[in-house]
Amino acid sequence: FGELEMPILASKPFAEELILNVSARYTSDQIYGSDTTGSAKLGWRPIPSLLLRATYGTSFRAPNLREVFLRDQTGFNNGLYDPCVVPDAARGGLGEGGGYDPTQDTREPEVLANCRADGVDPTSLGLDDNRRDVYSVEVATGGSLDLEAETSTSYTYGFAFDQPWSENFDLTFGATYWDIDIDDTIIEPSSQFLVNDCYNDLEGNSTFCGTINRDADGYIDLINAGFVNRDNQRVSGVDVNMNYDQTFNIGSRAIAFGADLVMTHTKEASETFLDDEGGVNYDDDAGEWGYPDWKGQLGLRANVSDLRFTWVINYIGKVDQDVDGIDPMSDIYDSPDTGFIGDTCKGPSDGDVLCRDVGFGDDYWLHSASIYYYGDTWTLGAGIRNVFDTKPPLVDGSEVLSVNNVPIGYGYDLRGRTFFLNLSWRP
């Protein structure tokens, strides 16, 4: 391992400071050989108030002993959901020899198509023997000698600017572009993940379908869920930040006001898998659930003597489904024109004949407020989270991961307006 920092220029016209930092590391692995990683950082101040910066770095991680040599073992997942089995709601007279009712089937068309591509009929599987869509499946796990080492490359470019015009206030703002590219990430997918990825794939080319084995009757009897390499994962975007501080005098009382803004724009959030024949399965989630185009936080604060008032605004930008998963306008029936059923429609009696499942979310704003008193040895605080009791967006559960039509795992507040009181003491 080696590191070198070089001050190249200083106190020159258009070069108040120019510094380069470089480092390198050599890694040798008994099984996977060796690799060299490194980083470079460049900082340039053309004028005292402006810093331009850039970084470049690489990394390397060989598979660990567990990922390589974990002994092959099998067990049973007693609650695996098989989307190819006819759901209970779509069975006309379950247990009485009833047939398939397509008007009650809420599965997406791509699920039905992927099941057929896997050799099973999703409109009949489970009807003859009354077998449900959740059942026990044998799962095989273990290490793999075929794993590749993880490698990554990252870049950042940005600037920071401190206003030089006035001593009455402090203002700093900056922006950073970042790009992180990871090859061969080692993952251990769950059996349900493998099933979901295979049958919910919009393009019908999931590389994980090969891990699923079905018996002669069409049911899943074995899933190979050992360690695998994700071929590529890439994220890129822009961070924007701003800090402002100024003291105001109202009468004889000083008020120290401040504002802090942090915003993130996601440009790309993609994953790539290659199948055994070299086919590419690429998916970019930027702008979709969990990866809004913009999200951020604005914090406003005011200090008056021993009191601090804060108001915080959190923002999550609008999101939508993958464009290939957006249903066309359809009615509440199995329309031969579209092949879709608008299962969130209220029906013709409410004038809601043509509609589609809700898979999008609008801009989301969350406000919180607090007040704190700072004593010599103790602190007392109180506040309100979600001041305006803002509700998360409602979606269709067949389109977005949700509970009771409320999306979960995406940063929305699920508790509503709450109050808190804190008391701390230090000797």
Side-chain angles (χ1 to χ4, degrees), residues 202-218:
L202 296 172
E203 290 78 26
N205 60 354
S206 170
T207 59
F208 292 128
C209 290
T211 67
I212 302 170
N213 300 284
R214 292 183 177 271
D215 60 23
D217 296 325

PDB file of all heavy atoms in Angstrom, residues 202-218:
ATOM      1  N   LEU A 202     -40.528  -8.218 -16.921  1.00  0.00           N
ATOM      2  CA  LEU A 202     -41.337  -7.599 -17.965  1.00  0.00           C
ATOM      3  C   LEU A 202     -40.895  -8.000 -19.359  1.00  0.00           C
ATOM      4  O   LEU A 202     -41.700  -8.044 -20.295  1.00  0.00           O
ATOM      5  CB  LEU A 202     -41.297  -6.070 -17.820  1.00  0.00           C
ATOM      6  CG  LEU A 202     -41.903  -5.515 -16.525  1.00  0.00           C
ATOM      7  CD1 LEU A 202     -41.627  -4.029 -16.413  1.00  0.00           C
ATOM      8  CD2 LEU A 202     -43.407  -5.785 -16.487  1.00  0.00           C
ATOM      9  N   GLU A 203     -39.594  -8.261 -19.534  1.00  0.00           N
ATOM     10  CA  GLU A 203     -39.087  -8.640 -20.852  1.00  0.00           C
ATOM     11  C   GLU A 203     -39.122 -10.154 -21.079  1.00  0.00           C
ATOM     12  O   GLU A 203     -38.865 -10.621 -22.184  1.00  0.00           O
ATOM     13  CB  GLU A 203     -37.651  -8.138 -21.040  1.00  0.00           C
ATOM     14  CG  GLU A 203     -37.528  -6.629 -21.188  1.00  0.00           C
ATOM     15  CD  GLU A 203     -37.624  -5.915 -19.852  1.00  0.00           C
ATOM     16  OE1 GLU A 203     -37.294  -6.553 -18.812  1.00  0.00           O
ATOM     17  OE2 GLU A 203     -38.038  -4.749 -19.831  1.00  0.00           O
ATOM     18  N   GLY A 204     -39.392 -10.924 -20.021  1.00  0.00           N
ATOM     19  CA  GLY A 204     -39.470 -12.368 -20.167  1.00  0.00           C
ATOM     20  C   GLY A 204     -38.141 -13.045 -20.383  1.00  0.00           C
ATOM     21  O   GLY A 204     -38.084 -14.142 -20.967  1.00  0.00           O
ATOM     22  N   ASN A 205     -37.045 -12.437 -19.905  1.00  0.00           N
ATOM     23  CA  ASN A 205     -35.726 -13.053 -20.117  1.00  0.00           C
ATOM     24  C   ASN A 205     -34.891 -13.072 -18.845  1.00  0.00           C
ATOM     25  O   ASN A 205     -33.682 -12.902 -18.883  1.00  0.00           O
ATOM     26  CB  ASN A 205     -34.972 -12.321 -21.226  1.00  0.00           C
ATOM     27  CG  ASN A 205     -34.751 -10.843 -20.903  1.00  0.00           C
ATOM     28  OD1 ASN A 205     -35.259 -10.329 -19.906  1.00  0.00           O
ATOM     29  ND2 ASN A 205     -34.004 -10.154 -21.749  1.00  0.00           N
ATOM     30  N   SER A 206     -35.529 -13.268 -17.695  1.00  0.00           N
ATOM     31  CA  SER A 206     -34.797 -13.313 -16.433  1.00  0.00           C
ATOM     32  C   SER A 206     -33.785 -14.458 -16.443  1.00  0.00           C
ATOM     33  O   SER A 206     -34.107 -15.597 -16.820  1.00  0.00           O
ATOM     34  CB  SER A 206     -35.763 -13.487 -15.264  1.00  0.00           C
ATOM     35  OG  SER A 206     -35.059 -13.770 -14.069  1.00  0.00           O
ATOM     36  N   THR A 207     -32.577 -14.151 -16.030  1.00  0.00           N
ATOM     37  CA  THR A 207     -31.538 -15.185 -15.975  1.00  0.00           C
ATOM     38  C   THR A 207     -31.771 -16.172 -14.834  1.00  0.00           C
ATOM     39  O   THR A 207     -31.108 -17.201 -14.763  1.00  0.00           O
ATOM     40  CB  THR A 207     -30.159 -14.536 -15.792  1.00  0.00           C
ATOM     41  OG1 THR A 207     -30.155 -13.765 -14.596  1.00  0.00           O
ATOM     42  CG2 THR A 207     -29.829 -13.624 -16.956  1.00  0.00           C
ATOM     43  N   PHE A 208     -32.686 -15.856 -13.921  1.00  0.00           N
ATOM     44  CA  PHE A 208     -32.899 -16.711 -12.753  1.00  0.00           C
ATOM     45  C   PHE A 208     -33.904 -17.829 -13.005  1.00  0.00           C
ATOM     46  O   PHE A 208     -34.113 -18.669 -12.136  1.00  0.00           O
ATOM     47  CB  PHE A 208     -33.360 -15.865 -11.565  1.00  0.00           C
ATOM     48  CG  PHE A 208     -32.283 -14.939 -11.053  1.00  0.00           C
ATOM     49  CD1 PHE A 208     -32.549 -13.592 -10.889  1.00  0.00           C
ATOM     50  CD2 PHE A 208     -31.031 -15.409 -10.762  1.00  0.00           C
ATOM     51  CE1 PHE A 208     -31.565 -12.733 -10.418  1.00  0.00           C
ATOM     52  CE2 PHE A 208     -30.039 -14.556 -10.295  1.00  0.00           C
ATOM     53  CZ  PHE A 208     -30.308 -13.216 -10.127  1.00  0.00           C
ATOM     54  N   CYS A 209     -34.559 -17.832 -14.157  1.00  0.00           N
ATOM     55  CA  CYS A 209     -35.516 -18.910 -14.417  1.00  0.00           C
ATOM     56  C   CYS A 209     -34.823 -20.267 -14.456  1.00  0.00           C
ATOM     57  O   CYS A 209     -35.442 -21.294 -14.145  1.00  0.00           O
ATOM     58  CB  CYS A 209     -36.249 -18.646 -15.731  1.00  0.00           C
ATOM     59  SG  CYS A 209     -37.399 -17.243 -15.671  1.00  0.00           S
ATOM     60  N   GLY A 210     -33.536 -20.268 -14.812  1.00  0.00           N
ATOM     61  CA  GLY A 210     -32.810 -21.532 -14.868  1.00  0.00           C
ATOM     62  C   GLY A 210     -32.552 -22.143 -13.507  1.00  0.00           C
ATOM     63  O   GLY A 210     -32.137 -23.307 -13.428  1.00  0.00           O
ATOM     64  N   THR A 211     -32.768 -21.409 -12.417  1.00  0.00           N
ATOM     65  CA  THR A 211     -32.572 -21.960 -11.074  1.00  0.00           C
ATOM     66  C   THR A 211     -33.809 -22.685 -10.549  1.00  0.00           C
ATOM     67  O   THR A 211     -33.754 -23.279  -9.478  1.00  0.00           O
ATOM     68  CB  THR A 211     -32.199 -20.840 -10.088  1.00  0.00           C
ATOM     69  OG1 THR A 211     -33.323 -19.948  -9.926  1.00  0.00           O
ATOM     70  CG2 THR A 211     -30.998 -20.043 -10.593  1.00  0.00           C
ATOM     71  N   ILE A 212     -34.916 -22.619 -11.300  1.00  0.00           N
ATOM     72  CA  ILE A 212     -36.196 -23.166 -10.849  1.00  0.00           C
ATOM     73  C   ILE A 212     -36.491 -24.449 -11.610  1.00  0.00           C
ATOM     74  O   ILE A 212     -36.499 -24.470 -12.842  1.00  0.00           O
ATOM     75  CB  ILE A 212     -37.323 -22.147 -11.067  1.00  0.00           C
ATOM     76  CG1 ILE A 212     -37.016 -20.844 -10.322  1.00  0.00           C
ATOM     77  CG2 ILE A 212     -38.671 -22.715 -10.621  1.00  0.00           C
ATOM     78  CD1 ILE A 212     -37.944 -19.703 -10.656  1.00  0.00           C
ATOM     79  N   ASN A 213     -36.729 -25.527 -10.870  1.00  0.00           N
ATOM     80  CA  ASN A 213     -37.054 -26.819 -11.471  1.00  0.00           C
ATOM     81  C   ASN A 213     -38.475 -27.210 -11.090  1.00  0.00           C
ATOM     82  O   ASN A 213     -38.863 -27.111  -9.915  1.00  0.00           O
ATOM     83  CB  ASN A 213     -36.069 -27.894 -10.989  1.00  0.00           C
ATOM     84  CG  ASN A 213     -34.633 -27.577 -11.357  1.00  0.00           C
ATOM     85  OD1 ASN A 213     -34.220 -27.720 -12.494  1.00  0.00           O
ATOM     86  ND2 ASN A 213     -33.865 -27.123 -10.369  1.00  0.00           N
ATOM     87  N   ARG A 214     -39.244 -27.663 -12.070  1.00  0.00           N
ATOM     88  CA  ARG A 214     -40.623 -28.109 -11.833  1.00  0.00           C
ATOM     89  C   ARG A 214     -40.757 -29.608 -12.114  1.00  0.00           C
ATOM     90  O   ARG A 214     -40.049 -30.159 -12.977  1.00  0.00           O
ATOM     91  CB  ARG A 214     -41.594 -27.321 -12.715  1.00  0.00           C
ATOM     92  CG  ARG A 214     -41.708 -25.854 -12.325  1.00  0.00           C
ATOM     93  CD  ARG A 214     -42.742 -25.110 -13.164  1.00  0.00           C
ATOM     94  NE  ARG A 214     -42.875 -23.715 -12.726  1.00  0.00           N
ATOM     95  CZ  ARG A 214     -43.711 -23.287 -11.792  1.00  0.00           C
ATOM     96  NH1 ARG A 214     -44.517 -24.167 -11.195  1.00  0.00           N
ATOM     97  NH2 ARG A 214     -43.764 -22.018 -11.454  1.00  0.00           N
ATOM     98  N   ASP A 215     -41.677 -30.243 -11.380  1.00  0.00           N
ATOM     99  CA  ASP A 215     -41.885 -31.678 -11.569  1.00  0.00           C
ATOM    100  C   ASP A 215     -42.838 -31.925 -12.739  1.00  0.00           C
ATOM    101  O   ASP A 215     -43.274 -30.994 -13.431  1.00  0.00           O
ATOM    102  CB  ASP A 215     -42.401 -32.331 -10.282  1.00  0.00           C
ATOM    103  CG  ASP A 215     -43.729 -31.743  -9.812  1.00  0.00           C
ATOM    104  OD1 ASP A 215     -44.469 -31.178 -10.643  1.00  0.00           O
ATOM    105  OD2 ASP A 215     -44.025 -31.838  -8.605  1.00  0.00           O
ATOM    106  N   ALA A 216     -43.178 -33.200 -12.949  1.00  0.00           N
ATOM    107  CA  ALA A 216     -44.016 -33.562 -14.093  1.00  0.00           C
ATOM    108  C   ALA A 216     -45.400 -32.958 -14.012  1.00  0.00           C
ATOM    109  O   ALA A 216     -46.066 -32.756 -15.043  1.00  0.00           O
ATOM    110  CB  ALA A 216     -44.101 -35.088 -14.188  1.00  0.00           C
ATOM    111  N   ASP A 217     -45.866 -32.646 -12.798  1.00  0.00           N
ATOM    112  CA  ASP A 217     -47.196 -32.044 -12.639  1.00  0.00           C
ATOM    113  C   ASP A 217     -47.181 -30.530 -12.793  1.00  0.00           C
ATOM    114  O   ASP A 217     -48.241 -29.897 -12.761  1.00  0.00           O
ATOM    115  CB  ASP A 217     -47.776 -32.413 -11.265  1.00  0.00           C
ATOM    116  CG  ASP A 217     -48.015 -33.916 -11.132  1.00  0.00           C
ATOM    117  OD1 ASP A 217     -48.386 -34.540 -12.149  1.00  0.00           O
ATOM    118  OD2 ASP A 217     -47.823 -34.445 -10.019  1.00  0.00           O
ATOM    119  N   GLY A 218     -45.990 -29.947 -12.902  1.00  0.00           N
ATOM    120  CA  GLY A 218     -45.899 -28.504 -13.098  1.00  0.00           C
ATOM    121  C   GLY A 218     -45.534 -27.715 -11.868  1.00  0.00           C
ATOM    122  O   GLY A 218     -45.323 -26.495 -11.956  1.00  0.00           O
TER     123      GLY A 218
END
